[in-house]
Amino acid sequence: YCKMIANYLTNATNDSVDIERDQICAESLLLGGLWMAQHNVDAAESILSSYFEKAAKLAMHIHQKAPSNSSVHRASMASFKLGEFAANLFNSVDARVSSEAWKRRIIVAKERKLELQAVTAQLTKLQKKSRASNEAATTDARIIHATLSREVEMDDRELKSVEKSIQRYLHLAVESYCSALKLCPTTMTANVAKHVFQLISLWFKNSQRRETKDIVNELLKSNLSQIPSYRFVPLTYQLFSRIDEMQEDDRNGFGFQTTLREIVLKICSEHPYHGIVQLLALSNGKRVGGGVNGRHANAYLENVGTTKVDAVNNIFQELRKHAPAYIPALIDSYQTLMNSYMNLAEYDSSSIAQKKITKRLPFKQYKLDLDSCLSGGRGRGKRSTTTTSMPAIITKPPPIRPDAQYGNGTEDPIGTERVVSFEPTFDLTLTGLHRPKIVKCIGSKGSRFKQLVKGEDDLRQDAIMQQVFGTVNDLLRHEGSSGNEFIKKSLGNSLSTVTTRQLKLITYGITPLSPASGVLEWVDNTMCFGDFLTDRGKKVGAHSKYFPGEWGVNEVREFYRNAGDAHNATRESKLKAFEKICENFSPAFRFFFLEYFKSSMEAWHTARTLYTRSCAVNSIVGHILGIGDRHTSNILVHTKTGEVVQIDFGIVFEQGKTLQTPELVPFRLTRDLVDGMGPSGTDGVFSKAAEATMAVLRNNADTLLTILSAVVSDPLYKWSLSPLKANQHQRNDGEDDSRMGLPSAWMSSTSDENRNDSADRAIAKIHEKLEGYEDGTSGEHKTVAGQVKLLINEARDPGNLSVMFSGWAPWM
């Protein structure tokens, strides 16, 4: 029926002048293509040419003939769907030619050609000899030659067909995405980010391949000037990390680095508050202090190289020449501010900490100038003599504006403030391997912004995880939206109850300054999960307060460690020890809500519900992304809302399973965490919110995988855990927070092939989870409800908790 309708519609619109009829035809063709692709009822090439290409062409024709808001929306959507379908076909064929089976086929084809050449030579010799004596041999040789010729011809035809398909699908995908982005209105937001990530992923994947690099580089280069730059701003980490020295291909003006630099210059010129900081951080690539991720500075610089830094400095020269007039001064302001931040981050505070002085330390006393670097003088709250081209609050950049209007350096960008000064003193954190510093930045409207300045720590991985969290929040917010109401209703997609459940992850600003320093936004009104439960100095924790006759935290830790370290310790003996701890150490987190939300029953109930839902979202997202190291100091609880906040993402993508003491639970769901959920525990609100979150992620698996593919293929990072880092994470189990402040990523000089293997493994594991497959289920496919129930059981299993690392504190 779809074919009959498509043929009828195509014939009916050949000479049509009826715009309304053409619109119905275009929508019908697109809907038919989507339905046929979903149900796989025809050949992909047929669906592509008969439906998607025709729908996109007709929609574009309608828009050019009678432009309107609806026509531009339809034309953009049709081009996006065409690009997406072509990209999927490209990825499918590309996966085939990358497989071992295809590689073996290539080898066999080459062997066939060599065999044909040998038979041809043999046949030629036989034909030159007397026919009578060699007639039988000549006949056999001719038969073999004919058979081999047909096989070689078939192989050549198949190889050329596949090669042609790869180039066609890639060209069509990139061209369609570019056409859609050039046309796409700013009001169209749902799923556009997914298509941008897909386009950039295709570009990254093919920009260095001999067979495809000319296609993607030339298409991007020729369309770049007409694609709004704000579409690329969310990908600054992924784009900027690939800046390097010019290659031979760049001499013709269409190489990868040439095109990339044009994008970078466009972002920094039109969206300076989002691009300049990232670029300056790369320019500080040689500033590594005492080292990065456990390696000495010289070893790090030797491994990573300095060509990126040199390339970035060249871009800055171009930016100063050709960007708007206020940009050079803004670059200088940011550079001054970031240098002062880095001086503070790198300052060795060990002597101060030994004196147990942690509060109100004057910058001037320690010869640090963060409080005066922009103001030209010291003094509490002293403002700059000029407000021209001042940097924005570094942990709170303005929202991305499609019109690129950010005040031209003379006004505050909408949605944030600019830096005028800092309070003249700083604090040291009570914990952390390198004692981060706490500062308060003063904004142009008088607001105070509390920030955490960290040194000897690479925060880029944490920043990228916040980027991924933002994408997940978009998915949760836009669930059910396809960007086209007609298609959405026709396919039967309906909005879920996700938005009414207020499911979201709390994010915060993280700005890397160099490979060894960065600034984090301080999340106000939060406290560590463990700080409420345990004694800290003179502060009495909830366990001691409400269960004074039971074991203390130190006693529990010692008992747990001794049970695990015993020379004859077995899983059974560890389980018995854990059960004994549970008998003598009662969960107490329910009292958090009684203490912080006691104004009314409604406030108490609202906070506990938000806490439970927040735990559910963080648990499911954390499991899908393989986030580990969720000890009691890496989970914060909001004292005004009850929501949880995750911090410190040094262990991601299943790295926790490679630790010296492997993490066997999918997420933290210990007795105290569950205690805060009330009598129903994980039943009811938690399980329903977890199922809703899992359903959203599984329904949007393609979007999530596309974005994560761009993230994990970052050339600066290897998404696997080094033995040194694993040892660091579990070497000091005497304190719950012993792992605070450790490096967040392991950067190495591994080859691109090994790095790509790590990225591929990470993506493949996430894909399996989003398909409903979990470890230890013998390949059994799980429904959403079944998968969530399985994960809850694993997370709460005493057998798993009893063999966890003691610093993880599995008893609370």
Side-chain angles (χ1 to χ4, degrees):
Y1 290 112
C2 279
K3 287 183 178 181
M4 291 172 58
I5 293 171
N7 292 331
Y8 171 77
L9 292 174
T10 304
N11 295 331
T13 56
N14 283 339
D15 300 314
S16 173
V17 293
D18 187 340
I19 295 297
E20 187 174 348
R21 179 173 179 170
D22 287 352
Q23 288 175 348
I24 295 174
C25 291
E27 293 274 14
S28 300
L29 285 168
L30 182 57
L31 182 59
L34 289 170
W35 185 88
M36 295 189 76
Q38 182 180 0
H39 293 85
N40 199 26
V41 296
D42 201 357
E45 178 62 37
S46 175
I47 297 173
L48 180 66
S49 57
S50 299
Y51 296 91
F52 286 110
E53 285 191 275
K54 287 181 179 179
K57 184 178 179 181
L58 183 55
M60 193 68 71
H61 173 71
I62 294 169
H63 175 65
Q64 292 169 349
K65 188 188 295 186
S68 66
N69 290 336
S70 61
S71 70
V72 71
H73 193 281
R74 287 190 179 95
S76 301
M77 180 56 65
S79 291
F80 275 136
K81 291 300 180 184
L82 172 59
E84 184 177 22
F85 190 73
N88 289 337
L89 290 179
F90 166 79
N91 288 328
S92 177
V93 178
D94 186 58
R96 180 189 176 194
V97 300
S98 301
S99 66
E100 291 300 320
W102 184 263
K103 292 175 182 176
R104 287 195 296 271
R105 179 168 181 174
I106 296 293
I107 293 172
V108 170
K110 288 180 178 178
E111 291 174 349
R112 280 283 185 271
K113 281 189 175 181
L114 293 174
E115 192 175 348
L116 177 61
Q117 291 174 4
V119 171
T120 302
Q122 182 183 5
L123 181 60
T124 302
K125 289 181 181 179
L126 289 171
Q127 289 174 339
K128 290 179 179 179
K129 295 180 179 179
S130 170
R131 287 190 177 182
S133 60
N134 296 290
E135 187 172 353
T138 303
T139 301
D140 290 342
R142 284 199 182 107
I143 293 172
I144 295 173
H145 184 273
T147 302
L148 286 173
S149 296
R150 284 193 295 271
E151 289 180 353
V152 169
E153 183 182 352
M154 290 169 59
D155 287 339
D156 286 344
R157 189 164 55 244
E158 176 67 8
L159 293 174
K160 288 177 181 177
S161 174
V162 169
E163 184 179 350
K164 185 179 178 181
S165 295
I166 283 180
Q167 294 180 350
R168 165 172 150 70
Y169 296 148
L170 179 62
H171 188 283
L172 190 57
V174 175
E175 186 178 50
S176 300
Y177 277 140
C178 288
S179 297
L181 289 172
K182 287 189 292 185
L183 201 61
C184 183
T186 57
T187 55
M188 186 175 176
T189 57
N191 286 332
V192 173
K194 166 193 173 180
H195 299 306
V196 178
F197 272 93
Q198 180 74 76
L199 171 63
I200 297 303
S201 293
L202 288 172
W203 182 34
F204 288 165
K205 189 175 185 178
N206 293 280
S207 61
Q208 305 300 327
R209 290 183 176 179
R210 181 173 53 84
E211 303 85 359
T212 57
K213 62 182 180 181
D214 290 340
I215 295 174
V216 290
N217 289 330
E218 289 181 19
L219 279 173
L220 259 297
K221 177 76 173 178
S222 59
N223 286 282
L224 191 58
S225 61
Q226 299 175 66
I227 298 176
S229 58
Y230 78 93
R231 296 292 187 188
F232 297 117
V233 173
L235 290 105
T236 50
Y237 281 117
Q238 289 71 50
L239 290 166
F240 288 23
S241 66
R242 285 168 171 79
I243 297 173
D244 212 326
E245 59 186 351
M246 290 286 195
Q247 304 296 321
E248 189 145 341
D249 293 337
D250 294 294
R251 293 178 182 175
N252 61 10
F254 288 98
F256 174 74
Q257 286 297 324
T258 302
T259 308
L260 178 60
R261 291 189 186 200
E262 188 173 331
I263 295 177
V264 172
L265 287 169
K266 198 172 181 183
I267 289 174
C268 291
S269 297
E270 298 179 6
H271 307 274
Y273 296 103
H274 301 91
I276 289 175
V277 176
Q278 307 287 355
L279 208 58
L280 282 171
L282 284 173
S283 74
N284 295 325
K286 297 178 183 178
R287 186 163 176 171
V288 296
V292 179
N293 299 332
R295 288 179 295 164
H296 293 298
N298 291 338
Y300 169 84
L301 292 173
E302 182 180 349
N303 285 339
V304 176
T306 60
T307 56
K308 288 181 179 293
V309 176
D310 297 335
V312 167
N313 290 333
N314 290 334
I315 292 175
F316 270 122
Q317 292 177 9
E318 290 294 313
L319 199 57
R320 290 179 182 275
K321 289 180 185 176
H322 304 296
Y326 76 96
I327 296 295
L330 186 62
I331 293 172
D332 292 338
S333 295
Y334 267 118
Q335 198 163 31
T336 299
L337 177 63
M338 291 173 69
N339 282 334
S340 295
Y341 269 126
M342 286 186 287
N343 290 336
L344 176 62
E346 294 165 0
Y347 186 81
D348 185 358
S349 60
S350 56
S351 59
I352 306 174
Q354 286 173 0
K355 298 176 183 178
K356 297 186 178 179
I357 303 173
T358 59
K359 300 289 185 181
R360 302 189 64 78
L361 303 167
F363 286 107
K364 184 178 181 180
Q365 179 179 338
Y366 300 100
K367 297 181 181 180
L368 298 166
D369 67 345
L370 183 63
D371 61 327
S372 60
C373 63
L374 295 175
S375 61
R378 296 190 181 275
R380 184 178 180 85
K382 183 167 182 179
R383 293 179 177 271
S384 169
T385 55
T386 174
T387 58
T388 303
S389 299
M390 299 299 286
I393 304 300
I394 205 164
T395 52
K396 191 177 176 61
I400 300 169
R401 293 188 60 84
D403 59 6
Q405 295 301 312
Y406 296 101
N408 293 323
T410 60
E411 301 175 5
D412 285 348
I414 295 175
T416 190
E417 298 179 36
R418 291 180 295 166
V419 180
V420 294
S421 185
F422 290 80
E423 291 192 355
T425 60
F426 66 95
D427 298 340
L428 293 180
T429 59
L430 296 175
T431 59
L433 196 63
H434 302 295
R435 287 298 181 98
K437 292 87 175 177
I438 303 170
V439 302
K440 285 188 179 178
C441 178
I442 303 174
S444 49
K445 295 177 182 175
S447 303
R448 259 61 173 175
F449 298 87
K450 198 172 181 181
Q451 298 170 335
L452 191 69
V453 183
K454 299 186 76 173
E456 295 189 50
D457 196 354
D458 192 340
L459 296 179
R460 184 183 168 90
Q461 180 163 306
D462 294 69
I464 289 176
M465 292 311 296
Q466 291 300 312
Q467 177 191 16
V468 175
F469 282 3
T471 300
V472 171
N473 280 339
D474 288 340
L475 294 177
L476 291 169
R477 188 165 52 250
H478 295 302
E479 167 65 1
S481 173
S482 68
N484 186 309
E485 290 299 320
F486 178 83
I487 294 173
K488 184 171 67 177
K489 291 176 182 177
S490 300
L491 289 178
N493 293 335
S494 59
L495 288 170
S496 69
T497 57
V498 168
T499 52
T500 60
R501 294 181 192 275
Q502 298 176 323
L503 303 182
K504 69 177 188 225
L505 298 159
I506 293 181
T507 60
Y508 51 93
I510 300 179
T511 305
L513 304 173
S514 73
S517 61
V519 184
L520 300 89
E521 176 185 4
W522 187 274
V523 186
D524 289 320
N525 303 311
T526 59
M527 67 186 305
C528 288
F529 179 75
D531 285 355
F532 174 78
L533 297 169
T534 59
D535 301 340
R536 296 280 178 175
K538 296 180 180 180
K539 176 187 168 295
V540 178
H543 279 291
S544 298
K545 182 178 180 180
Y546 294 103
F547 300 98
E550 295 189 345
W551 291 1
V553 172
N554 291 334
E555 188 177 357
V556 169
R557 183 185 296 112
E558 189 68 22
F559 184 84
Y560 183 89
R561 189 192 301 123
N562 290 339
D565 291 344
H567 71 279
N568 59 345
T570 62
R571 285 197 66 133
E572 289 74 18
S573 65
K574 292 178 181 179
L575 177 58
K576 287 183 179 179
F578 183 76
E579 289 172 342
K580 187 170 182 61
I581 289 173
C582 293
E583 292 171 3
N584 293 276
F585 194 82
S586 301
F589 197 71
R590 78 195 84 152
F591 299 106
F592 173 83
F593 300 97
L594 291 175
E595 290 189 12
Y596 284 91
F597 303 95
K598 56 188 175 184
S599 60
S600 68
M601 182 67 74
E602 182 182 1
W604 168 84
H605 182 267
T606 300
R608 201 184 69 178
T609 303
L610 283 175
Y611 163 80
T612 306
R613 289 173 178 164
S614 181
C615 284
V617 177
N618 279 278
S619 296
I620 297 303
V621 173
H623 168 64
I624 294 297
L625 299 177
I627 298 173
D629 198 28
R630 298 299 89 196
H631 57 76
T632 59
S633 292
N634 278 350
I635 299 175
L636 309 182
V637 188
H638 206 290
T639 58
K640 298 296 184 183
T641 67
E643 295 170 289
V644 299
V645 185
Q646 302 281 348
I647 63 171
D648 196 348
F649 302 100
I651 304 293
V652 295
F653 301 130
E654 303 289 328
Q655 294 170 351
K657 294 182 178 180
T658 67
L659 291 168
Q660 194 171 16
T661 303
E663 296 187 351
L664 302 183
V665 294
F667 40 77
R668 187 178 192 94
L669 198 59
T670 51
R671 295 185 306 143
D672 267 299
L673 211 69
V674 175
D675 189 60
M677 299 176 189
S680 61
T682 57
D683 295 329
V685 175
F686 180 88
S687 60
K688 292 300 180 185
E691 288 171 16
T693 304
M694 181 67 81
V696 170
L697 297 182
R698 283 174 60 162
N699 290 342
N700 293 275
D702 289 344
T703 300
L704 195 59
L705 290 169
T706 295
I707 292 169
L708 287 172
S709 293
V711 169
V712 302
S713 61
D714 188 325
L716 291 183
Y717 288 81
K718 178 177 180 290
W719 301 101
S720 58
L721 196 65
S722 73
L724 173 60
K725 185 182 173 189
N727 180 59
Q728 282 182 320
H729 264 74
Q730 294 188 340
R731 66 183 178 183
N732 298 321
D733 63 355
E735 297 293 336
D736 293 334
D737 54 16
S738 62
R739 294 178 278 177
M740 290 277 286
L742 287 173
S744 296
W746 177 255
M747 301 170 67
S748 71
S749 57
T750 54
S751 67
D752 288 340
E753 183 177 355
N754 289 338
R755 182 163 49 239
N756 289 338
D757 286 344
S758 298
D760 290 342
R761 283 195 297 273
I763 290 297
K765 190 63 183 176
I766 293 171
H767 191 194
E768 286 179 7
K769 295 175 184 177
L770 292 172
E771 289 288 315
Y773 297 100
E774 295 289 345
D775 291 343
T777 60
S778 302
E780 179 186 357
H781 178 265
K782 294 289 184 180
T783 62
V784 168
Q787 187 176 12
V788 168
K789 187 65 176 176
L790 173 70
L791 295 174
I792 291 174
N793 290 339
E794 286 184 352
R796 301 189 66 185
D797 183 2
N800 290 336
L801 292 171
S802 62
V803 294
M804 291 289 289
F805 171 60
S806 62
W808 198 83
W811 54 85
M812 68 177 179

